[in-house]
Amino acid sequence: MTAELVRGQNHPLPHTRLEIRVTAGAPVLACATLADAQGAVRGPEWIVHPGSPRLPGIEVSRQAAASLRYHVDLGALPEQTHLVHVLLALPEGGGGPDRFGATAAPFAAVTATDGTEIASFTLTGLDTESAVVALELYRRQGAWKVRAVGQGYAGGLAELLADQGLPQAASFAAAVQEAVARHLAGAVQAPLTGATGAQDAAVRGDAARADGRQPSAAPQPLPADPAAAPATATGTTPGTAAGAGGAAGAVNYTHPGRVTAAPPTPPPAAPPTPPGQPPRPVAGDATGWSMDERLYNQVWGMFEDLARTVAAYRSAMDFAESRMDQELDRVLSDPRNRVGGAGDAARAEARARHDRLAAQAREVLDRDLTQLVAESEVVEPALPPAYARWDSPVWHAYRVPMEIPMALRLGDVHLPERPDLRIPMLVRLPLERGLWIDSGRAGSDAALMTDEARLRRAAVDTAVALAARLLAVHPPGEFTVQVIDPAGSAAGPLAPLVASGALDRPPAAGAGGVAAVLARLTQRVDLVQMAVRGGAAESLPPDLDTAEQLLIVNDFPHGFDDRALTQLRYLADEGPAVGVHLLMVADREDASAYGPVLDPLWRSLLRITPVPDDHLADPWVGHAWTYEPPVVPPGGEVLRRVLDRVAEARRTGER
């Protein structure tokens, strides 16, 4: 599966032999710089460019083109190479555009030699820049990765190379441009055969970039003899074309096949970044057809970046510890080193090397975490209600939506290396499994230190906050909440739902109320399942509520007999597929008398907690993530105001 990268995101490279394919809206020249472990480019001999297109392990094109390929063999690079910067620059003096903002955004794809795409990056947000660091390939703990950079330079290739520490960068950049000029007659760019042809060629590349693919057909080369080129209007440059009447106009990059739907809105441009600094984060700087989808993808990208960064740090620390242990073992294996100054010096040297490795690992971690914190500070205020915290200002301007969002925020997750960096925990809608809010004290140290009554109250408060958010992000009448509270012990926390009128009916109490609600929802699941399987959805009873249903069950298993338990398990297994979801507030110890009978029920539900708990594990890198439940600001005014608007919208819709 291809990884679609955003600025600052990295991805492991599973192969050493690679191709980097670049497509752009105008001819660009290809360069690459090699750097050592400190990121230093040692001199011109460490740069591959059109005038010197080959170095051990890497090769670039001799000419500027709108479609380029870099051939890379990471295993053949010089041993001192730890970093490869992939550079793009616009040719000077060829009549083409002088800034990337005047062309379609360049697109870079890293592929295996068989064409399998590994990662891709669309260089959005460029404006006055005429040279850019597109990607960097870097080696860490013996493994190579690719990082999306997108750092542009308005001063062109000279400024870029100077920023990388190359002496006499201006003269070297001029020599590169001169080498390109010698091959400019053979430059490849979009053909200027008329408006339609130029637009179609540009559209093929632009649409392919939007979908994360290579263009299906490469643009054709210009004739070597300028006199043989098709006539264009005076002053026409690459990126413009003459129409049928001879008037020049800008190329239209609108996909001709998308006449009924708008193409993806490009992510917002990043503000200018000082040379040598990491790119400034931008909210929505990810792929997607809408801002909500881009923000969703960006949040998950932040989650992946944090997971990878911490995994790399922990691996580096393990390596440092292992290396020190091995060195100390070697020292102690020699009897001469067990006593005296030589042994002490060897042990001190081993610990010093460990400390240097640990410091380097921490420095890299802090750099990556600082970038993620900056991105979080930009993204968090831009999140819509479905993704936002309850203390976000977006709730003050809340309006009942007309469409169901992609996902819902259940809380936050974080890792111990940076507890204040909290990533929103988003789950896709509709919910694919039920939720279980564990009100037991045995689950974590934080729960064990909390009074039992307060913990149960916090569990119901969490359930109410999640139910209110689900109601708030659905259009009026498309989501319904029902409550089972057999002993009435949750009357206080449930008051916002009851008082606002957001519930269809009061919470069910006693064994009779439990049986009635479960029978009604079980019948609904049966009827909808039969209608769907038989292809007869129109035959459902007219009084059947087809809205999504959320059943909050408090104080389980109080009030449940064997039949009710069977129905509850049935709803947990079959309900999500037909729009019936469980939100259980329960302590597993309270139901221990049922033994393993209820094990399938607990396994079918996503466990969350009313207090912070590190029980969430991702199978990707094996981290134990600490879950933070959603917190409503003191006083609950935001929650009540949102529920009042939801209830008012439902009443208005019913009238």
Side-chain angles (χ1 to χ4, degrees):
M1 182 178 178
T2 302
E4 296 182 355
L5 306 181
V6 298
R7 283 186 177 88
Q9 187 177 2
N10 57 34
H11 187 75
L13 294 172
H15 311 288
T16 57
R17 299 186 64 188
L18 307 165
E19 285 186 353
I20 300 175
R21 304 178 179 182
V22 175
T23 54
V28 294
L29 62 91
C31 297
T33 59
L34 310 184
D36 57 21
Q38 285 71 43
V41 179
R42 298 188 177 182
E45 67 277 8
W46 280 46
I47 303 177
V48 58
H49 56 87
S52 177
R54 292 186 184 87
L55 284 177
I58 188 167
E59 180 179 355
V60 301
S61 173
R62 287 181 177 272
Q63 64 182 18
S67 181
L68 295 170
R69 292 195 184 192
Y70 297 70
H71 300 277
V72 181
D73 185 350
L74 299 173
L77 292 170
E79 185 179 353
Q80 303 92 333
T81 302
H82 286 255
L83 182 66
V84 179
H85 280 121
V86 177
L87 316 179
L88 301 174
L90 293 171
E92 297 177 357
D98 59 357
R99 60 188 184 91
F100 279 109
T103 71
F107 172 82
V110 181
T111 72
T113 53
D114 62 359
T116 303
E117 197 166 294
I118 300 169
S120 64
F121 175 44
T122 302
L123 284 73
T124 58
L126 299 176
D127 186 12
T128 61
E129 299 88 344
S130 58
V132 62
V133 180
L135 302 169
E136 66 179 21
L137 313 179
Y138 63 98
R139 182 165 55 186
R140 180 178 292 168
Q141 286 90 46
W144 284 90
K145 296 184 178 182
V146 58
R147 188 192 309 276
V149 181
Q151 174 66 57
Y153 294 81
L157 189 60
E159 182 183 357
L160 188 157
L161 295 175
D163 188 49
Q164 296 201 359
L166 183 70
Q168 299 179 341
S171 59
F172 186 86
V176 173
Q177 293 285 359
E178 182 181 354
V180 173
R182 290 198 297 267
H183 297 276
L184 195 58
V188 180
Q189 60 184 354
L192 305 182
T193 57
T196 303
Q199 290 171 7
D200 287 346
V203 163
R204 283 195 297 270
D206 200 44
R209 285 188 290 275
D211 295 335
R213 301 176 284 103
Q214 282 298 109
S216 59
Q220 300 300 313
L222 285 174
D225 181 7
T232 62
T234 303
T236 300
T237 61
T240 64
V251 173
N252 180 6
Y253 289 100
T254 305
H255 195 296
R258 294 186 185 134
V259 293
T260 59
T265 306
T273 304
Q277 298 297 318
R280 296 179 182 177
V282 177
D285 190 10
T287 58
W289 286 90
S290 66
M291 178 57 81
D292 283 3
E293 184 177 358
R294 293 201 299 271
L295 288 169
Y296 172 83
N297 290 334
Q298 187 170 12
V299 167
W300 274 105
M302 293 164 58
F303 172 84
E304 293 174 357
D305 284 352
L306 180 57
R308 289 195 191 102
T309 295
V310 172
Y313 170 72
R314 293 179 181 178
S315 175
M317 294 300 296
D318 290 343
F319 171 77
E321 293 285 348
S322 174
R323 178 174 174 174
M324 183 178 70
D325 291 342
Q326 292 174 6
E327 292 177 348
L328 292 177
D329 287 344
R330 285 196 297 269
V331 170
L332 295 176
S333 65
D334 187 347
R336 294 171 298 179
N337 293 332
R338 293 175 187 170
V339 294
D344 292 341
R347 284 189 288 270
E349 185 179 354
R351 292 191 177 93
R353 277 194 290 268
H354 167 273
D355 292 343
R356 285 196 298 270
L357 289 173
Q360 291 174 2
R362 187 71 211 190
E363 181 182 0
V364 173
L365 175 69
D366 289 342
R367 181 199 66 193
D368 292 345
L369 291 181
T370 299
Q371 183 69 10
L372 282 171
V373 168
E375 186 173 9
S376 176
E377 291 173 350
V378 170
V379 170
E380 188 69 52
L383 296 178
Y387 308 164
R389 292 195 300 251
W390 279 110
D391 59 356
S392 171
V394 72
W395 290 107
H396 296 292
Y398 167 75
R399 295 292 182 271
V400 178
M402 300 307 295
E403 294 182 352
I404 300 175
M406 285 185 60
L408 183 87
R409 187 174 189 158
L410 292 184
D412 298 332
V413 293
H414 64 80
L415 292 172
E417 282 75 7
R418 189 68 184 261
D420 61 321
L421 176 55
R422 298 182 179 181
I423 308 298
M425 180 180 173
L426 304 180
V427 295
R428 293 296 294 264
L429 292 178
L431 298 173
E432 296 180 356
R433 59 191 299 198
L435 303 174
W436 165 32
I437 302 177
D438 189 355
S439 60
R441 300 182 65 204
S444 66
D445 292 340
L448 191 62
M449 298 297 293
T450 305
D451 177 74
E452 182 177 356
R454 292 181 59 189
L455 187 64
R456 291 182 181 270
R457 170 68 186 247
V460 182
D461 286 339
T462 302
V464 171
L466 292 176
R469 185 182 291 268
L470 281 163
L471 285 166
V473 302
H474 282 80
E478 294 193 19
F479 197 86
T480 301
V481 176
Q482 301 188 48
V483 180
I484 290 178
D485 186 21
S489 59
L494 291 172
L497 288 173
V498 176
S500 65
L503 300 179
D504 277 358
R505 46 180 62 87
V514 171
V517 172
L518 293 177
R520 186 166 58 249
L521 290 178
T522 301
Q523 182 186 41
R524 181 195 183 280
V525 171
D526 289 338
L527 290 174
V528 175
Q529 278 187 339
M530 288 188 292
V532 171
R533 290 169 183 170
E538 69 281 354
S539 63
L540 288 170
D543 59 342
L544 183 71
D545 185 3
T546 57
E548 296 275 319
Q549 305 280 328
L550 178 70
L551 174 60
I552 301 176
V553 178
N554 182 51
D555 207 13
F556 177 81
H558 183 79
F560 282 73
D561 55 19
D562 290 344
R563 178 180 174 82
L565 286 176
T566 302
Q567 290 175 323
L568 189 68
R569 288 184 53 186
Y570 176 72
L571 292 178
D573 293 337
E574 304 295 334
V578 291
V580 176
H581 312 282
L582 287 184
L583 176 53
M584 291 187 58
V585 181
D587 179 359
R588 190 168 181 173
E589 291 298 319
D590 292 344
S592 59
Y594 292 95
V597 173
L598 291 180
D599 285 352
L601 172 65
W602 304 119
R603 287 196 298 267
S604 69
L605 303 173
L606 174 61
R607 176 177 174 262
I608 56 179
T609 55
V611 293
D613 186 21
D614 61 351
H615 67 282
L616 294 177
D618 68 80
W620 183 30
V621 291
H623 294 325
W625 294 80
T626 298
Y627 168 79
E628 294 272 355
V631 177
V632 179
E637 289 299 325
V638 172
L639 186 69
R640 283 192 287 270
R641 186 163 54 248
V642 168
L643 288 174
D644 287 343
R645 291 178 181 173
V646 169
E648 177 62 28
R650 293 182 61 185
R651 288 191 293 269
T652 303
E654 291 172 358
R655 290 197 295 267

